[in-house]
């Protein structure tokens, strides 16, 4: 039996993880489950999986959580400090599936315990970059990539040497608006942007997929996870989402990882690592898929990957600024306050207006994140 904690248990990645646990309850001891404010749903999951502790990040939702857990014997807590305390609990594996930079502090708390972390929360690594990778080395923690592309690369690199890598190619589906003209993109609605053709995901990452900021964040994530140099990381659009990413070695061999567009596959790869486990996913039916196609990204209609590459090259605080501005812009787009195409404009403007010193600590990263959010939010007010 292995112990497991899930931060962001009520979300898309969290529930996919619990679907895998449900397959074989006797194999898992569920320690901590968390949510932001979905108290009723969190309590239901905590009861089903007999968790030791349930935590809501938003303290104002703790009373509801307590009421929903009454009589269960499951402990409950609320607030940012409680979330970090929970992340310090030792578990064999901690799934980091909170959305956005809100997940950074608990991820760092888990790292400082030397835990094994299955990282879905890419915004945390994008924002904290060097601070996080230095902490992983210092505390002997292990980061396993849940993101399907990074999980694919991780699998393709197994047994290979970094110095033998010629290219790492991240595949991108291109999202639901891939073929739209600039004029159509201007008028894209939140419902259209979240209607991903291949993947069923939370709202924020779905918008990121449509804008290609998801791929931009993933480029920065790959830069930290697989340090082969930015000039060896490239992106190709592959609308079928069958190949999840590729590694080309210097002898001309390219290894690719293929699989269904279901996050249970990369999550299972992390949960069972270094072994394998069953998933309920349908096997790939290549004759039914028929053809796999590839296109170069169009950085005129979708400037996000260009902005992310520049932020990665600039290093220091730039990725944290890019991420924070994107989070503010995506929330504004989902709330109907700005046009879809404003997201990239706001991110670029924030990167131009705000160039803080490189963060040297978690507190520095949080300060950059907060200040960049303020700048981006001010842009919304003046728009
Ligand atoms: P969801 O929006 O579906 O779920 C987010 C989870 O985080 C929920 O449990 C939510 O709780 C919790 N949460 C939200 N805001 C906060 C906060 N401020 N503090 C603490 N907890 C919070 O997101 P996804 O599952 O889609 O994505 C999670 C992460 O995984 C993201 O970083 C995403 O980029 C990454 N990822 C997701 C993939 C996917 O297929 N969904 C694929 C690859 C990566 P509540 O229910 O209370 O709001």
């Amino acid at each position: 039996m292995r112990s497991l904690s899930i931060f962001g248990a009520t979300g898309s990645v969290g529930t996919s993880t619990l679907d895998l646990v449900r397959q074989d309850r006797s194999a898992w001891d569920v320690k901590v489950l968390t949510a932001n404010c979905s108290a009723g749903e969190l309590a239901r999951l905590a009861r089903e999986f007999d968790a030791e502790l349930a935590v809501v990040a938003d303290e104002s939702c703790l009373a509801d959580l307590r009421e929903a857990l009454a009589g269960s014997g499951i402990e409950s807590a609320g607030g940012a400090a409680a979330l970090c305390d929970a992340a310090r609990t030792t578990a064999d594996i901690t799934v980091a599936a909170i959305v956005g930079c809100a997940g950074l502090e608990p991820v760092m708390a888990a790292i400082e315990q030397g835990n094994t972390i299955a990282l879905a929360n890419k915004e945390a690594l994008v924002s904290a970059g060097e601070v996080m990778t230095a902490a992983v080395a210092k505390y002997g923690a292990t980061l396993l990539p849940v993101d399907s592309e990074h999980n694919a690369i991780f699998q393709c690199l197994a047994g290979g040497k970094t110095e033998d890598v010629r290219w790492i190619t991240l595949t991108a589906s291109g999202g639901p608006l891939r073929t739209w003209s600039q004029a159509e993109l201007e008028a894209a609605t939140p419902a259209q942007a979240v209607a991903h053709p291949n993947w069923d995901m939370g709202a924020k990452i779905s918008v990121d997929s449509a804008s290609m900021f998801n791929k931009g964040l993933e480029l920065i994530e790959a830069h930290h996870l697989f340090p082969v140099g930015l000039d060896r990381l490239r992106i190709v659009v592959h609308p079928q989402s069958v190949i999840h990413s590729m590694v080309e070695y210097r002898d001309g061999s390219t290894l690719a990882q293929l699989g269904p567009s279901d996050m249970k596959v990369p999550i299972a790869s992390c949960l069972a690592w270094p072994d394998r486990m069953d998933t309920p996913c349908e096997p790939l039916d290549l004759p039914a898929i028929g053809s796999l196609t590839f296109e170069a990204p169009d950085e005129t209609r979708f400037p996000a990957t260009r902005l992310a590459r520049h932020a990665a090259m600039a290093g220091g605080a730039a990725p944290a600024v890019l991420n924070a501005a994107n989070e503010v812009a995506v929330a504004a787009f989902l709330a109907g306050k700005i046009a879809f195409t404003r997201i990239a404009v706001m991110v670029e403007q924030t990167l131009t207006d705000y160039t803080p010193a490189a963060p040297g600590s978690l507190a520095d990263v949080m300060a950059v994140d907060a200040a960049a959010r303020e700048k981006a939010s001010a842009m919304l007010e003046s728009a």
Side-chain angles (χ1 to χ4, degrees), residues 104-105 108 131 359-370:
L104 173 56
E105 287 182 301
M108 287 295 285
V131 170
S361 65
L362 174 59
D364 292 348
V365 178
M366 297 307 290
V368 168
D369 176 74

Side-chain angles (χ1 to χ4, degrees), residues 7-16 34-39 41-42 56-58 83 96-103 106 119-124 146-149 199-206 208 214 217-218 221 262-263 266-267:
F7 288 72
T10 50
S12 166
V13 170
T15 51
S16 289
T34 84
N36 186 33
C37 196
S38 303
E41 179 59 9
L42 180 64
V56 276
D58 183 338
L83 202 61
I98 290 175
V99 60
C101 199
L119 183 76
N121 181 204
K122 65 191 87 184
E123 297 92 344
V146 169
D147 225 343
S148 59
E149 295 77 1
W199 298 93
D200 181 13
M201 310 183 284
K204 194 264 177 180
I205 185 175
S206 296
D208 284 346
N214 184 45
L217 297 175
E218 288 179 6
E221 184 185 9
D262 188 325
M263 284 303 294
I267 295 168

Side-chain angles (χ1 to χ4, degrees), residues 99-242:
V99 60
C101 199
L104 173 56
E105 287 182 301
V107 168
M108 287 295 285
I111 289 172
E112 287 170 11
Q113 286 306 114
N115 287 349
T116 295
I117 297 141
L119 183 76
N121 181 204
K122 65 191 87 184
E123 297 92 344
L125 181 55
V126 167
S127 299
E130 285 82 11
V131 170
M132 189 186 288
T133 49
V136 167
K138 179 174 172 188
Y139 295 101
T142 302
L143 279 190
L144 299 173
V146 169
D147 225 343
S148 59
E149 295 77 1
H150 305 74
N151 189 268
I153 296 162
F154 183 71
Q155 294 194 47
C156 294
L157 282 172
K161 293 192 186 116
T162 305
E163 61 268 29
D164 288 337
V165 172
R166 187 186 282 165
W167 294 107
I168 289 179
T169 304
L170 293 157
T171 53
S173 69
L177 314 179
R178 176 177 62 90
T179 58
W180 290 31
S181 68
Q182 186 65 32
E184 287 170 326
L185 290 175
E186 304 280 347
T189 64
Q192 289 165 330
V194 301
H196 200 286
N198 308 337
W199 298 93
D200 181 13
M201 310 183 284
K204 194 264 177 180
I205 185 175
S206 296
V207 174
D208 284 346
S209 245
S211 68
M212 291 288 280
F213 266 105
N214 184 45
K215 215 47 55 181
L217 297 175
E218 288 179 6
L219 184 83
I220 301 172
E221 184 185 9
H223 174 53
H224 293 298
L225 289 173
F226 314 112
V228 296
L230 266 175
D231 54 344
R232 289 176 192 235
L233 296 177
R234 58 186 185 181
I235 294 168
V236 68
V237 176
H238 165 48
Q240 297 81 18
S241 300
V242 171

